[in-house]
Structure formats: C-alpha cells, structure tokens
Amino acid sequence: MEKKLNSNLNKNLKENENSNRKHEEKICANCLRIFECKVGSIQLCQCTKVELTRSESEYLASQYNDCLCFQCMEALAFEYRMTRRLLELPWEL
C-alpha cells in the first residue's frame, strides 16, 4: 500500500513539473536549428518579435506544421513579401 502511495505521489509530482514547464527546446521546421520556445511566457517568446501581416502569418502556417526559429520566420516573411511585390509588377513582354 505504501509503495503504491509513493508511486502515485511521484507520478503526480512529475506531471506537475511537466505542466509547470514554461520553456521547451524545439527544432525549427525549416532549418532544423534548435531554439527555445517560451510557450508558457508567450510574450517573451522569440516568435513574438517578428512582425507579420495576417497574410504572411497564414502563409507560414500553411507551409509549416510546427514552430520556426526567429531567423527563418524573418527570412521566409521577407521572401513572401518580395514574391508578392514581384507578382504585382506590370510585366510586359
């Protein structure tokens, strides 16, 4: 009985530790770089530093199923902006 109580106590402590985690290491879905995701403190997360328009955000979300590092978010948003501008140019042959 005592072993079962200790086992349950240890299990509850581990679950509590995992639920209180504020940061986790993630691998960028684009470049495979390891970075720290601060999902528990989202206002401190590196992804909130990248200013994206709604269309840029939707584009990145449609291309990737997981988080991207700051550098890739910046680069891919820039590429998206440049591609959009090129498509808007009046091309004449």
Side-chain angles (χ1 to χ4, degrees):
M1 179 75 168
E2 187 176 324
K3 281 186 179 184
K4 187 173 183 179
L5 288 174
N6 284 339
S7 174
N8 286 340
L9 180 61
N10 286 336
K11 182 180 175 186
N12 288 340
L13 286 173
K14 285 180 183 177
E15 287 175 2
N16 198 19
E17 283 177 15
N18 288 337
S19 68
N20 287 334
R21 286 181 55 190
K22 293 185 178 187
H23 311 303
E24 63 181 278
E25 281 191 347
K26 298 210 72 159
I27 297 174
C28 177
N30 184 56
C31 71
L32 305 178
R33 184 180 299 138
I34 296 173
F35 65 96
E36 186 177 45
C37 177
K38 297 182 180 176
V39 70
S41 303
I42 197 68
Q43 68 278 11
L44 300 175
C45 193
Q46 51 100 31
C47 66
T48 61
K49 308 293 187 271
V50 181
E51 292 185 29
L52 300 173
T53 64
R54 182 183 203 116
S55 59
E56 292 166 353
S57 182
E58 289 171 354
Y59 170 75
L60 291 178
S62 73
Q63 300 297 311
Y64 298 95
N65 294 326
D66 205 357
C67 296
L68 298 170
C69 69
F70 174 83
Q71 292 88 345
C72 285
M73 287 179 71
E74 286 278 326
L76 292 167
F78 178 78
E79 287 176 18
Y80 177 82
R81 285 182 219 121
M82 292 302 106
T83 302
R84 294 282 304 214
R85 287 185 183 153
L86 284 172
L87 292 173
E88 292 171 357
L89 289 174
W91 295 97
E92 293 182 30
L93 297 175

